[in-house]
Amino acid sequence: MNPLNQRVILRNPRIVTLVLVLGLAASLVGALAARRFQVKATRARVEQEAVIAQENLHYTIQAYRDILMGFRGHSTAALGLNRDRFHQYFASLDLRTHHPGLLSVSYGVDIPGADRDRAERDLRREMGDPAFAIHPPGVRPRYFVLLFAEPRESNRTSIGRDTRTIPGQGLDIDRARDTGALVLTGPMKVLQYDGPDPGLLMRLPLYHGAPATLEERRSTFLGCINGAFRVQDLIAEALGKETLRKLDVAITDAGPWGDPGPARQLYGAPLAEGRKLERTVEVFGRIWNFEFRARPEFAGTAEWSLPVGIGACGCLITLLLWGLMTSLVQTGQRARLMALHMTGQLREEESRTEAMALAVPDPMAVLDEDGRFLRIYGQHPRVLGAAPAALLGATIPQVLPRDAADSLLGAVRKALDTHRLQTAVFELSTPEGRCDFEGRILRMGQPLDGKACVVLSIRDITERTRAEEIARTKQKLESLGVLAGGIAHDFNNFLTAILGHVNMAQDLIEPDSVAAPMLRRAEASVLRAAELAHQMLAYSGRGSLKVDLLDLNLMVMEMTELLSVSIAKKADLEFHLEPGLPMIMADAVQVQQVVMNLVTNASDAIADRTGSIAIETRLLVADRAFLEARFPGQGLEPGTYAMLLVSDTGCGMDAETRKRIFDPFYTTKATGRGLGLSALLGILRGHKAGIYITSAPGQGSRFEILFPSAGPAPGRDLSGASAAAGATPLTGLALVADDEPMVRSIVADFLEHRGMEVLAAADGQEALELFTLHRGRVDVVLLDITMPRMDGNEAFRAIRALDPQVPVILLSGFSARDVATPPPGTAPALFVQKPFRTVDLEEAVRKVRRA
């Protein structure tokens, strides 16, 4: 703005006044608009919270439905369902901890009026309670009697209660019986608490068989699995404290869907008219009306603070602008004097900057907006691999390779646009080898020759990047080891439960059953999965490898299908296996890894071309001269070997690649990690095997591997399982402790199936308390190693202190190295690796009890 315009503005006060009025009006309009926006935003947040609250309530009720379906499935699957089994299943779910809204889960049976006396006598005998009676007394057409109810402490008075006498419940029972689906009642008084607020009931019918029609459902109806809930607890669990702190919530029940009646209040008090949100949803066949309203603390101060802030800021800006316009002439001369002063300071600063640039160890340069080197600071013989004189006047694309030039030039342009420090990392091939550089670029405050310029600092970070890469790789491998150990331990627990159920199913069916071969295949699959879990434990340092006699031909044949789907589509897989091959001592999983790595590398060498991969086995008798000539320095002794050969017609390898093929992290693949062949070499060394490679560019590759012979395969005794299965039943009292409910349940069920009584504990502390309570009666103790509160080793030592002669079996998904050593002179202690077959567990129990 020139001085003439400044004088015009100052001499015309109406312009200044107009600016002031318009600014204040705009501030008021902005404040009103902000207020309207904040009100809309608050309503949108209330709608979002309402949707989340409805979804959470729906999911919570669905979870309760799933719990009841689980009880129904357990009741249907468990032969001879009784009160103790019902209680054990309830206790295993820990429902009061995870679902505090659930007051009880009960099992009720339907009894015709004519059968009351007979049913009452049968139920007294079945429940072992001579005082059991259906109450309240009286003659009625039908009775619906609660037999089991959990938790027992708060449901003792409900046992034997005819719930058809409670108003409204008879209709819900009949509706569940006739529909075959879960029925959710309206708000009502429930037996489990005396509070004034209502409760809800869920009923899930049980039938004898699978009826399809109404008549069949009525004739085969047995009873219902019932869930009782307190509405206050249910809503608090579903919506959570945070939602209830933000919103006022009211819920009414309008009756069954399609047949609504007068609304009854479920939760909260009806909300007054105003800024409230209403929703109507269908919840398991009933109509629920929701009302939501934001509490003052939910809306907060934003509805008025932001509009007031905007209005205040607008007024302040208007006043500042008005004051600025009145002082333009006075500040003009002051600005010119300040500019002259700052120019002198900038020149002094430039001189200091140049001196500092000469003192720092990193080269520095000034580049214009075209990426041209205008000036280079520092006494450095080479900058970016070239002499400084060769860079002056040249642009970045003229002196650097394309990738490095694009990265550095992009950072220069971004620094010019954003006025912020930018960093570019790139690599160059220099006479010293491949080097990594970091460029730091910052825009200069003043242009040079009319062009915007930047300052570039160049640092050689080759050593730093290599150190960081090594550290990242080491950390990744350590993390993978920890992860592999944790996953393997959890898998072993799951596999123990699966294998136990399979073995128990094998005991329960006839040998010629059509399910027998299926269960054998399932058992074999679980054992194969267990081998993989043991391999993962070995990788993590928490396990040991399983070395056994191995038929190389049989192992390759078993991998045929896996190898076929693992290679390129245009590659043909050929097998030439020599019969009569000797057995080798090896870990089957590791040898499978060797074969898989060689075949996948051969497939990668063929890529998208047409080619073939051949897998051969041969018997080789090698003398010392042959081994020293073909396998020098590998420590192989003369003798008989089983040879594995993998060859391909792929691209082959040059001498440099063959030299580095076993280096960790070296790979020629774009997406490879370079770990396959280095791991292969480690496996072969562990098996005292040798390897020989022949390859040339364009002529494919050939890998020859020698495994020392271990002689012919020994015969396998398969009679152990059948002998164990037909052995004398087990007797006595067993204490089983495992924090995994699935494992604890299957071990307890199996031992009970074999004739023992079982005490079950969820951790070592509970096991010690049970052992102390039943001291002198416990015949054998089975402890998991990894448990909360008190682990298996601690419980083992504590039990040994109480009774040194009680037999103990320690179980773990990890290896035996984690097991404590029993004190001298005490009863034996065995270790059983998870997963285990039930026959192995029975053999261990018999062994420690015989010792």
PDB file of all heavy atoms in Angstrom, residues 395-414:
ATOM      1  N   THR A 395      23.111 -29.495 -12.361  1.00  0.00           N
ATOM      2  CA  THR A 395      21.851 -29.776 -11.651  1.00  0.00           C
ATOM      3  C   THR A 395      21.898 -31.177 -11.055  1.00  0.00           C
ATOM      4  O   THR A 395      22.731 -32.003 -11.431  1.00  0.00           O
ATOM      5  CB  THR A 395      20.648 -29.657 -12.595  1.00  0.00           C
ATOM      6  OG1 THR A 395      20.776 -30.629 -13.632  1.00  0.00           O
ATOM      7  CG2 THR A 395      20.571 -28.262 -13.196  1.00  0.00           C
ATOM      8  N   ILE A 396      20.980 -31.434 -10.142  1.00  0.00           N
ATOM      9  CA  ILE A 396      20.937 -32.741  -9.469  1.00  0.00           C
ATOM     10  C   ILE A 396      20.783 -33.883 -10.463  1.00  0.00           C
ATOM     11  O   ILE A 396      21.507 -34.890 -10.372  1.00  0.00           O
ATOM     12  CB  ILE A 396      19.807 -32.745  -8.420  1.00  0.00           C
ATOM     13  CG1 ILE A 396      20.151 -31.802  -7.262  1.00  0.00           C
ATOM     14  CG2 ILE A 396      19.555 -34.143  -7.891  1.00  0.00           C
ATOM     15  CD1 ILE A 396      19.037 -31.665  -6.227  1.00  0.00           C
ATOM     16  N   PRO A 397      19.842 -33.833 -11.449  1.00  0.00           N
ATOM     17  CA  PRO A 397      19.726 -34.960 -12.384  1.00  0.00           C
ATOM     18  C   PRO A 397      20.971 -35.190 -13.228  1.00  0.00           C
ATOM     19  O   PRO A 397      21.168 -36.288 -13.758  1.00  0.00           O
ATOM     20  CB  PRO A 397      18.533 -34.558 -13.273  1.00  0.00           C
ATOM     21  CG  PRO A 397      17.741 -33.596 -12.442  1.00  0.00           C
ATOM     22  CD  PRO A 397      18.767 -32.848 -11.660  1.00  0.00           C
ATOM     23  N   GLN A 398      21.840 -34.163 -13.363  1.00  0.00           N
ATOM     24  CA  GLN A 398      23.046 -34.323 -14.188  1.00  0.00           C
ATOM     25  C   GLN A 398      24.162 -35.047 -13.448  1.00  0.00           C
ATOM     26  O   GLN A 398      25.054 -35.605 -14.099  1.00  0.00           O
ATOM     27  CB  GLN A 398      23.543 -32.937 -14.652  1.00  0.00           C
ATOM     28  CG  GLN A 398      22.611 -32.260 -15.649  1.00  0.00           C
ATOM     29  CD  GLN A 398      23.052 -30.851 -15.982  1.00  0.00           C
ATOM     30  OE1 GLN A 398      23.829 -30.239 -15.256  1.00  0.00           O
ATOM     31  NE2 GLN A 398      22.543 -30.325 -17.096  1.00  0.00           N
ATOM     32  N   VAL A 399      24.137 -35.042 -12.114  1.00  0.00           N
ATOM     33  CA  VAL A 399      25.268 -35.606 -11.361  1.00  0.00           C
ATOM     34  C   VAL A 399      24.882 -36.855 -10.554  1.00  0.00           C
ATOM     35  O   VAL A 399      25.773 -37.546 -10.062  1.00  0.00           O
ATOM     36  CB  VAL A 399      25.867 -34.554 -10.415  1.00  0.00           C
ATOM     37  CG1 VAL A 399      26.428 -33.380 -11.213  1.00  0.00           C
ATOM     38  CG2 VAL A 399      24.835 -34.062  -9.400  1.00  0.00           C
ATOM     39  N   LEU A 400      23.595 -37.152 -10.420  1.00  0.00           N
ATOM     40  CA  LEU A 400      23.173 -38.290  -9.612  1.00  0.00           C
ATOM     41  C   LEU A 400      22.360 -39.258 -10.459  1.00  0.00           C
ATOM     42  O   LEU A 400      21.709 -38.852 -11.436  1.00  0.00           O
ATOM     43  CB  LEU A 400      22.320 -37.828  -8.425  1.00  0.00           C
ATOM     44  CG  LEU A 400      23.001 -36.946  -7.372  1.00  0.00           C
ATOM     45  CD1 LEU A 400      22.023 -36.592  -6.271  1.00  0.00           C
ATOM     46  CD2 LEU A 400      24.229 -37.621  -6.789  1.00  0.00           C
ATOM     47  N   PRO A 401      22.348 -40.544 -10.106  1.00  0.00           N
ATOM     48  CA  PRO A 401      21.469 -41.507 -10.785  1.00  0.00           C
ATOM     49  C   PRO A 401      20.006 -41.097 -10.633  1.00  0.00           C
ATOM     50  O   PRO A 401      19.643 -40.314  -9.747  1.00  0.00           O
ATOM     51  CB  PRO A 401      21.756 -42.830 -10.071  1.00  0.00           C
ATOM     52  CG  PRO A 401      23.077 -42.636  -9.417  1.00  0.00           C
ATOM     53  CD  PRO A 401      23.197 -41.193  -9.092  1.00  0.00           C
ATOM     54  N   ARG A 402      19.160 -41.706 -11.450  1.00  0.00           N
ATOM     55  CA  ARG A 402      17.775 -41.261 -11.526  1.00  0.00           C
ATOM     56  C   ARG A 402      17.037 -41.397 -10.196  1.00  0.00           C
ATOM     57  O   ARG A 402      16.369 -40.455  -9.757  1.00  0.00           O
ATOM     58  CB  ARG A 402      17.040 -42.066 -12.604  1.00  0.00           C
ATOM     59  CG  ARG A 402      15.592 -41.661 -12.760  1.00  0.00           C
ATOM     60  CD  ARG A 402      14.949 -42.374 -13.932  1.00  0.00           C
ATOM     61  NE  ARG A 402      13.541 -41.989 -14.043  1.00  0.00           N
ATOM     62  CZ  ARG A 402      12.738 -42.409 -15.029  1.00  0.00           C
ATOM     63  NH1 ARG A 402      13.214 -43.228 -15.968  1.00  0.00           N
ATOM     64  NH2 ARG A 402      11.483 -42.025 -15.063  1.00  0.00           N
ATOM     65  N   ASP A 403      17.156 -42.570  -9.538  1.00  0.00           N
ATOM     66  CA  ASP A 403      16.419 -42.766  -8.291  1.00  0.00           C
ATOM     67  C   ASP A 403      16.855 -41.780  -7.227  1.00  0.00           C
ATOM     68  O   ASP A 403      16.018 -41.156  -6.551  1.00  0.00           O
ATOM     69  CB  ASP A 403      16.604 -44.196  -7.780  1.00  0.00           C
ATOM     70  CG  ASP A 403      15.918 -45.220  -8.684  1.00  0.00           C
ATOM     71  OD1 ASP A 403      15.051 -44.811  -9.481  1.00  0.00           O
ATOM     72  OD2 ASP A 403      16.280 -46.409  -8.606  1.00  0.00           O
ATOM     73  N   ALA A 404      18.182 -41.612  -7.063  1.00  0.00           N
ATOM     74  CA  ALA A 404      18.686 -40.677  -6.069  1.00  0.00           C
ATOM     75  C   ALA A 404      18.314 -39.247  -6.433  1.00  0.00           C
ATOM     76  O   ALA A 404      17.942 -38.439  -5.567  1.00  0.00           O
ATOM     77  CB  ALA A 404      20.195 -40.817  -5.930  1.00  0.00           C
ATOM     78  N   ALA A 405      18.380 -38.911  -7.724  1.00  0.00           N
ATOM     79  CA  ALA A 405      18.050 -37.559  -8.159  1.00  0.00           C
ATOM     80  C   ALA A 405      16.577 -37.251  -7.906  1.00  0.00           C
ATOM     81  O   ALA A 405      16.234 -36.143  -7.450  1.00  0.00           O
ATOM     82  CB  ALA A 405      18.390 -37.389  -9.638  1.00  0.00           C
ATOM     83  N   ASP A 406      15.695 -38.199  -8.199  1.00  0.00           N
ATOM     84  CA  ASP A 406      14.262 -37.959  -7.977  1.00  0.00           C
ATOM     85  C   ASP A 406      13.975 -37.733  -6.500  1.00  0.00           C
ATOM     86  O   ASP A 406      13.184 -36.849  -6.136  1.00  0.00           O
ATOM     87  CB  ASP A 406      13.456 -39.152  -8.482  1.00  0.00           C
ATOM     88  CG  ASP A 406      13.468 -39.256 -10.005  1.00  0.00           C
ATOM     89  OD1 ASP A 406      13.859 -38.252 -10.653  1.00  0.00           O
ATOM     90  OD2 ASP A 406      13.124 -40.332 -10.530  1.00  0.00           O
ATOM     91  N   SER A 407      14.605 -38.542  -5.618  1.00  0.00           N
ATOM     92  CA  SER A 407      14.369 -38.395  -4.189  1.00  0.00           C
ATOM     93  C   SER A 407      14.851 -37.042  -3.682  1.00  0.00           C
ATOM     94  O   SER A 407      14.126 -36.339  -2.966  1.00  0.00           O
ATOM     95  CB  SER A 407      15.071 -39.527  -3.434  1.00  0.00           C
ATOM     96  OG  SER A 407      14.950 -39.368  -2.044  1.00  0.00           O
ATOM     97  N   LEU A 408      16.080 -36.647  -4.060  1.00  0.00           N
ATOM     98  CA  LEU A 408      16.651 -35.390  -3.575  1.00  0.00           C
ATOM     99  C   LEU A 408      15.936 -34.192  -4.173  1.00  0.00           C
ATOM    100  O   LEU A 408      15.627 -33.214  -3.478  1.00  0.00           O
ATOM    101  CB  LEU A 408      18.143 -35.360  -3.901  1.00  0.00           C
ATOM    102  CG  LEU A 408      18.945 -34.212  -3.291  1.00  0.00           C
ATOM    103  CD1 LEU A 408      18.792 -34.222  -1.774  1.00  0.00           C
ATOM    104  CD2 LEU A 408      20.416 -34.333  -3.667  1.00  0.00           C
ATOM    105  N   LEU A 409      15.629 -34.228  -5.467  1.00  0.00           N
ATOM    106  CA  LEU A 409      14.957 -33.106  -6.110  1.00  0.00           C
ATOM    107  C   LEU A 409      13.539 -32.935  -5.566  1.00  0.00           C
ATOM    108  O   LEU A 409      13.062 -31.803  -5.393  1.00  0.00           O
ATOM    109  CB  LEU A 409      14.926 -33.321  -7.627  1.00  0.00           C
ATOM    110  CG  LEU A 409      14.563 -32.097  -8.488  1.00  0.00           C
ATOM    111  CD1 LEU A 409      15.536 -30.952  -8.226  1.00  0.00           C
ATOM    112  CD2 LEU A 409      14.590 -32.461  -9.966  1.00  0.00           C
ATOM    113  N   GLY A 410      12.842 -34.049  -5.276  1.00  0.00           N
ATOM    114  CA  GLY A 410      11.517 -33.951  -4.673  1.00  0.00           C
ATOM    115  C   GLY A 410      11.560 -33.286  -3.314  1.00  0.00           C
ATOM    116  O   GLY A 410      10.687 -32.473  -2.976  1.00  0.00           O
ATOM    117  N   ALA A 411      12.587 -33.599  -2.503  1.00  0.00           N
ATOM    118  CA  ALA A 411      12.718 -32.977  -1.186  1.00  0.00           C
ATOM    119  C   ALA A 411      13.013 -31.488  -1.318  1.00  0.00           C
ATOM    120  O   ALA A 411      12.533 -30.671  -0.520  1.00  0.00           O
ATOM    121  CB  ALA A 411      13.810 -33.678  -0.389  1.00  0.00           C
ATOM    122  N   VAL A 412      13.821 -31.089  -2.341  1.00  0.00           N
ATOM    123  CA  VAL A 412      14.121 -29.673  -2.567  1.00  0.00           C
ATOM    124  C   VAL A 412      12.840 -28.913  -2.879  1.00  0.00           C
ATOM    125  O   VAL A 412      12.565 -27.832  -2.312  1.00  0.00           O
ATOM    126  CB  VAL A 412      15.150 -29.524  -3.709  1.00  0.00           C
ATOM    127  CG1 VAL A 412      15.276 -28.063  -4.133  1.00  0.00           C
ATOM    128  CG2 VAL A 412      16.505 -30.053  -3.262  1.00  0.00           C
ATOM    129  N   ARG A 413      12.036 -29.428  -3.774  1.00  0.00           N
ATOM    130  CA  ARG A 413      10.800 -28.742  -4.150  1.00  0.00           C
ATOM    131  C   ARG A 413       9.812 -28.674  -2.987  1.00  0.00           C
ATOM    132  O   ARG A 413       9.101 -27.678  -2.807  1.00  0.00           O
ATOM    133  CB  ARG A 413      10.173 -29.443  -5.344  1.00  0.00           C
ATOM    134  CG  ARG A 413      11.004 -29.255  -6.626  1.00  0.00           C
ATOM    135  CD  ARG A 413      10.527 -30.152  -7.732  1.00  0.00           C
ATOM    136  NE  ARG A 413      11.326 -29.933  -8.954  1.00  0.00           N
ATOM    137  CZ  ARG A 413      11.347 -30.754 -10.000  1.00  0.00           C
ATOM    138  NH1 ARG A 413      10.613 -31.871  -9.963  1.00  0.00           N
ATOM    139  NH2 ARG A 413      12.079 -30.474 -11.062  1.00  0.00           N
ATOM    140  N   LYS A 414       9.774 -29.738  -2.177  1.00  0.00           N
ATOM    141  CA  LYS A 414       8.871 -29.724  -1.035  1.00  0.00           C
ATOM    142  C   LYS A 414       9.321 -28.707   0.010  1.00  0.00           C
ATOM    143  O   LYS A 414       8.498 -28.029   0.641  1.00  0.00           O
ATOM    144  CB  LYS A 414       8.807 -31.115  -0.413  1.00  0.00           C
ATOM    145  CG  LYS A 414       7.672 -31.282   0.593  1.00  0.00           C
ATOM    146  CD  LYS A 414       7.511 -32.744   0.991  1.00  0.00           C
ATOM    147  CE  LYS A 414       6.339 -32.914   1.948  1.00  0.00           C
ATOM    148  NZ  LYS A 414       6.143 -34.331   2.342  1.00  0.00           N
TER     149      LYS A 414
END
